[in-house]
Structure formats: C-alpha cells, structure tokens
Amino acid sequence: MKTKVYIDGEAGTTGLQIRSRLAGRSDLDVFSLPEAVRKNGQRRAEAINSADVVILCLPDDAAREAVSFIANPAVRVIDASSAHRVTPDWVYGFAELSPDQSRKIATARFVSNPGCYPTGALAIVKPLIACKLVPSVYPFCIHAVSGYSGAGSQMIDQYENPENSAYTKTPIIGYGLSLEHKHIKEIECHAELARRPIFLPMIGRYRQGILMYVGIHLSALPDAVSVQQVHRTLEGYYDGHQHVSVTPLGDLRAPDNLDAESMNGNDGIRLHVFGNDEYRQCVVAAVYDNLGKGASGAAVQNLDLMISGS
C-alpha cells in the first residue's frame, strides 16, 4: 500500500523542492488541494487528517495552526518551519546528530526539520562536544554565507525581479547583528552548549548554497588537542553515514578554495578541516545546499526513515 503524503504549503520554495524530489516515487501517493482552496482551513484539516504523513512547509504560526487541526491519531508530521525545533515532544530531524537519532526519527510521530544554518553548525559542533574534544562552555563563533533562496520567496523576488522596488544588486548582506537570530537557540539546544554561541550570517548574491566556518582556538582548550584529532573525531562520528562526508585532511598549510555552490543539487553536507599547528588554530568548514540537506533534502531523508521504520 502506498504512503499518502500531503505537503501543506507546497507552493513555497521548500514545498516545491520536496515535491520535485518525490516526483515519480511509486511507493508514495503525494496529493494536493486545488489552488483555490489551499488556504481554506476546513479543506486543509480534511487533507491533513486523511494523510499518513504531512509535511508542513509554512510560516511558524501557520504550522502551529496545521498541527492543531490534527484529529487522526495515525497522522505523522514533518515540520519544515522553525515552530517546533526546540519543543521537547518533537524529535529533531537531523539523522546524523547522535548514534540513535535516525531510530528516533523512524519511530516518531512528530519530527521537526532542522534549520538550514543549524544543519551546518550542528554537523561541526555536536561531535566535538559529544566526544568531549571541546568543552560545552567553549565560546564558539559561527560564520556563514547563504544563497538568497534561504530567505524565502520575498527575498528571491528582491534579487531576481528588477521591477521590485526593493530589487538589489548588493553582493553580500550581513544581518543578525543584534545577536538574537532565531537559529541560535536551536544550535545551542541540540549541540548541548553551556555557553551561547555567536552566530554571524550573511546573504550572498547567488541563489543557493551555504559556506560555513567555525573557528577553534586549540590553545584555549583545557586539554591538548591537535588539528588531526579534530579531523579524526569528525571522520569517526560520521563513519557509515551517507549524507555527511569529511574530506581528507591533506596538507594543512595549503590554501584551499571552497565554493558555496559546489554541493548544490546534492542532499548531503561536506566538512573540511583546516588548521595551523604553529598558531594552535583550527577551522572547520561546512559546504551544503540550503535547499538540500538544509531543507527539502533533509525532509525527504526524514520521510524515508519514517516510512521504513528504521
């Protein structure tokens, strides 16, 4: 029997990407509401309660409303909004977060898809904390630049529509300088940090792709840690995982050019470790598609886990 999947908010950027990824799947019955009634509460409630799995691609308040519509105890939910990412009774949908996370997702009724930026931050920071290489009180500073599609349809229009009064050709825009970006709490919670990290996001004038850096002063750690240990820890943590890869360490002195768009169209995330032993400094970089592992790709990965049950 096919699994019935309803995407609430399928006309948005994330919804369209999920729909595209699910096209042609013979094991799924992905159904839609006619465009004229997609915002009708009663029709949405009927669709939600008739599905096996509902994927919410909505603003936070609308996602909470959709959950309130659920009357059928058999309905399972993947929420791509940020409404439930730190809610205790929702399972966090980053399958590689811990050794048993994929099992938790597979058996969960409610799964919250990670944010695009937290995906990279947690991929780097979580293993270092979990393996006790870096203490939870370490003052992490996380810097990332994303393609403008990560900010949704309004921002896409600002960059792609010359008729838009807010149209911009600015190459890079920095924001979040109040240090209150909504993703900080998500990173802090799921990395189990004891000190709030600084997060410095930027938007670049390209459509999609994220390049993220996390710098670590090895000299500030309580125990002697080498760049090689950082690399081995990440490599070991993700051994056997299809969607997270760690590149070979190589020559630590050699400069490297990282392309934020190099993982576009791929649903994985690639980590790089760089360092300078003389100065006792290390940088871990993450490259991934904000519409792939950072959003729609992760949702499909979670859907597959929930369908398979393992």
Side-chain angles (χ1 to χ4, degrees), residues 23-258:
R25 289 272 297 261
S26 60
D27 59 329
L28 304 176
D29 174 13
V30 184
F31 67 97
S32 304
L33 288 176
E35 185 175 355
V37 297
R38 282 179 186 165
K39 295 184 180 180
N40 180 289
Q42 182 177 344
R43 294 294 299 275
R44 286 174 60 212
E46 291 170 357
I48 287 169
N49 284 289
S50 69
D52 295 310
V53 182
V54 177
I55 305 177
L56 304 178
C57 302
L58 302 164
D60 288 3
D61 287 344
R64 295 186 187 98
E65 179 187 50
V67 173
S68 76
F69 290 156
I70 298 174
N72 180 355
V75 173
R76 304 172 77 187
V77 180
I78 299 170
D79 183 8
S81 82
S82 62
H84 300 101
R85 289 177 184 158
V86 294
T87 303
D89 53 348
W90 284 66
V91 172
Y92 193 62
F94 189 169
E96 299 81 13
L97 186 71
S98 65
D100 64 344
Q101 198 68 19
S102 61
R103 178 192 59 78
K104 290 179 180 178
I105 294 167
T107 58
R109 185 179 178 199
F110 298 106
V111 173
S112 182
N113 224 46
C116 57
Y117 285 128
T119 294
L122 289 168
I124 294 169
V125 172
K126 176 66 174 182
L128 304 181
I129 300 296
C131 297
K132 302 188 184 305
L133 205 68
V134 178
S136 62
V137 294
Y138 184 83
F140 284 103
C141 185
I142 302 161
H143 172 260
V145 60
S146 172
Y148 54 77
S149 61
S153 58
Q154 184 175 347
M155 182 66 75
I156 292 173
D157 197 65
Q158 285 182 221
Y159 276 92
E160 296 185 355
N161 179 13
E163 303 302 317
N164 188 329
S165 61
Y167 178 70
T168 179
K169 291 185 176 181
T170 303
I172 295 180
I173 296 174
Y175 67 106
L177 295 174
S178 64
L179 304 181
E180 294 181 354
H181 194 285
K182 69 178 182 178
H183 285 323
I184 295 176
K185 187 174 182 180
E186 184 181 344
I187 296 167
E188 187 178 21
C189 171
H190 294 291
E192 299 184 272
L193 297 178
R195 178 173 291 176
R196 182 181 173 87
I198 291 175
F199 174 52
L200 302 172
M202 293 184 174
I203 292 178
R205 201 180 198 293
Y206 61 98
R207 186 175 178 87
Q208 65 195 78
I210 288 179
L211 173 59
M212 175 174 288
Y213 288 152
V214 177
I216 305 167
H217 288 277
L218 301 178
S219 58
L221 300 182
D223 300 315
V225 174
S226 68
V227 177
Q228 290 79 5
Q229 282 177 285
V230 172
H231 183 266
R232 282 198 302 269
T233 297
L234 293 171
E235 200 172 43
Y237 200 84
Y238 295 117
D239 183 40
H241 286 285
Q242 176 185 353
H243 295 285
V244 183
S245 62
V246 183
T247 59
L249 194 57
D251 186 348
L252 300 179
R253 298 165 298 174
D256 194 66
N257 296 316
L258 296 182

Side-chain angles (χ1 to χ4, degrees), residues 242-278:
Q242 176 185 353
H243 295 285
V244 183
S245 62
V246 183
T247 59
L249 194 57
D251 186 348
L252 300 179
R253 298 165 298 174
D256 194 66
N257 296 316
L258 296 182
D259 180 357
E261 298 177 291
S262 62
M263 291 291 283
N264 285 0
N266 186 304
D267 287 340
I269 180 169
R270 189 175 66 230
L271 303 181
H272 303 257
V273 179
F274 305 98
N276 188 304
D277 286 325
E278 179 182 356

